[in-house]
Amino acid sequence: MTTRSPGPRGGDRSTTSTNGKAASKRGAAQRSGTAAKPAVNGPVTGADVARAAGVSRATVSYAMNDTADARIPEETRRRVREIARELGYEPRSDARSLRRGHTDLVVLPTYTIPFGGLLTAFVNDLSRELHRLGHTLVTYGDPDADPMAAARAWAALRPAAIVVLPERLTEESAAYLAARDIAIVGLAWSKAPMDGVHFVLEGETGRSGYVAAEHLIAQGRRDIAVVIPREGRDDVIGLATLGRERLKGVREAVAAAPHPVRVRIVEMAESPASAAEVVAGWAPDDRPDAVFGYNDEYAALLMGALSDAGIRIPDDIAMTGTDDLPLCEMVRPRLTSVGFTPAITLGVVAQRIADAVRSPVPEKPRRVIMWRAELRPRDSA
């Protein structure tokens, strides 16, 4: 016998009695853990999943949202999720955020720093690991916004956590985020510890300068030029910010040197013309005997300008870079560089972020080293 009953969208849908073929097909699908996709127009809903699984809509909600106090069997939870996946059902993130007070988002604010290979791999791998834990990593925001305006924009997304450079925060903006239960994870922290921060991710940016200078000093070099990227503005967080951190490392190595060492700061744009201008400004009787080129690209540009000027590497000037890119093996002489070796996996980092979302803010943020800086010596030094 065929009857008419309301469908999930309010329209009529044909059904059959429990003795009919359709009911038998649904029952077989439920027993086998599979589901035929409902014949509905529009997105699949929780009601469609409940109907296919033979459970209530509340059970679907409990199973899909990992409700801790929901007393449903694990087998039911697994089956509901399998059917939801087969039907293409995704719970609405805005509905979940209303219940939890925040979304599953982890925000990585945008900066004027271009993403090199190391940072690109970091973002991609962290995004993948966070997804496995139920979070979504998004890059977002105006890199030129002041700290409070930026904090309000981030908070408007109702994120679970934010991964942020210290220069983008003040005590006031950090307190604003913490008051909204947004976990704050520091990235490459260079300031004093700040209230509201759960932990800090470090990549030994400053130590890369220390390692490079230590190597040059050990070779007897006494006059090190440190390249700082030249940028149009001083009030944005760009390569110059990282360059100054690496300069600090150079100064620390010089302070511990067994002989006097001069440190000269060279501002340079990432272009052949700027590199040639730098080299032309060094008088033959007042040249440095070593250069720390900020990164491998800047170092390679200077190597080209030095070669054009007839200055020998490493006989006249030793050269080092940072990042240990394939470029180091492409130039001649081969470029000595400071590379970064992972200290922990991105899976561990993602788990720490997920744990921070559910944990109280510690009195003092813990420092977590992601990468260790180590010298990769080659011909140029």
Side-chain angles (χ1 to χ4, degrees):
M1 178 179 68
T2 301
T3 61
R4 308 291 290 183
S5 64
R9 299 295 183 198
D12 289 341
R13 177 179 294 178
S14 296
T15 62
T16 61
S17 67
T18 54
N19 295 324
K21 295 181 180 179
S24 298
K25 186 176 181 180
R26 285 197 303 272
Q30 292 170 13
R31 287 193 298 273
S32 65
T34 62
K37 190 168 184 176
V40 296
N41 296 320
V44 178
T45 67
D48 298 323
V49 176
R51 185 177 300 105
V55 298
S56 67
R57 293 184 63 176
T59 298
V60 172
S61 177
Y62 293 149
M64 298 301 297
N65 292 293
D66 281 326
T67 305
D69 57 352
R71 298 178 180 177
I72 61 175
E74 183 57 33
E75 173 60 26
T76 300
R77 188 188 304 272
R78 182 194 62 78
R79 185 165 61 84
V80 167
R81 288 190 165 195
E82 285 183 356
I83 292 174
R85 183 173 60 253
E86 291 169 4
L87 298 181
Y89 170 68
E90 288 290 341
R92 286 177 52 185
S93 59
D94 56 345
R96 292 200 305 271
S97 68
L98 288 174
R99 289 191 294 272
R100 300 176 181 177
H102 58 73
T103 66
D104 295 324
L105 298 180
V106 174
V107 173
L108 177 67
T110 53
Y111 302 93
T112 55
I113 301 172
F115 277 15
L118 191 66
L119 277 178
T120 298
F122 166 74
V123 173
N124 290 342
D125 292 346
L126 182 61
S127 177
R128 186 178 303 110
E129 295 296 336
L130 283 170
H131 180 74
R132 291 174 56 188
L133 299 174
H135 291 282
T136 300
L137 181 69
V138 295
T139 56
Y140 174 82
D142 179 359
D144 295 332
D146 67 73
M148 273 308 299
R152 291 191 181 97
W154 304 331
L157 295 178
R158 304 170 72 91
I162 181 167
V163 182
V164 59
L165 284 172
E167 289 81 3
R168 296 302 302 272
L169 286 180
T170 60
E171 294 285 352
E172 182 185 13
S173 63
Y176 180 89
L177 295 169
R180 285 151 182 80
D181 294 325
I182 299 172
I184 303 174
V185 176
L187 181 62
W189 205 262
S190 59
K191 289 184 176 181
M194 186 178 292
D195 291 340
V197 177
H198 278 77
F199 67 93
V200 173
L201 295 169
E202 287 283 0
E204 293 198 329
T205 295
R207 183 163 175 78
S208 64
Y210 183 98
V211 169
E214 182 182 48
H215 177 67
L216 295 170
I217 292 167
Q219 292 189 330
R221 307 291 172 165
R222 296 174 177 270
D223 190 339
I224 303 175
V226 179
V227 174
I228 302 293
R230 182 193 300 159
E231 297 178 312
R233 292 171 53 185
D234 295 329
D235 60 339
V236 297
I237 302 170
L239 294 180
T241 302
L242 299 181
R244 286 188 288 270
E245 285 299 306
R246 292 174 180 177
L247 173 62
K248 290 180 184 178
V250 172
R251 293 193 186 282
E252 290 174 4
V254 167
H259 56 259
V261 179
R262 175 187 178 186
V263 175
R264 57 174 88 186
I265 300 172
V266 176
E267 291 191 355
M268 177 183 132
E270 193 176 2
S271 71
S274 185
E277 180 184 357
V278 168
V279 172
W282 289 335
D285 60 348
D286 187 34
R287 291 189 189 119
D289 60 9
V291 173
F292 174 51
Y294 169 67
N295 68 8
D296 296 333
E297 289 97 334
Y298 281 79
L301 284 169
L302 271 174
M303 288 176 68
L306 289 169
S307 178
D308 290 343
I311 300 172
R312 299 169 301 169
I313 302 171
D315 298 342
D316 300 324
I317 297 180
M319 291 289 305
T320 62
T322 308
D323 293 338
D324 194 33
L325 299 177
L327 169 68
C328 297
E329 292 287 345
M330 297 166 62
V331 296
R332 295 294 182 272
R334 293 174 177 85
L335 178 62
T336 292
S337 185
V338 179
F340 295 94
T341 300
I344 57 175
T345 67
L346 269 298
V348 173
V349 173
Q351 187 62 62
R352 287 182 181 272
I353 294 173
D355 291 343
V357 172
R358 300 184 292 269
S359 304
V361 179
E363 291 186 6
K364 184 178 180 181
R366 182 181 178 185
R367 188 167 176 252
V368 178
I369 303 297
M370 289 190 299
W371 300 297
R372 296 286 185 186
E374 61 178 34
L375 188 79
R376 312 281 168 77
R378 295 185 181 88
D379 304 333
S380 70

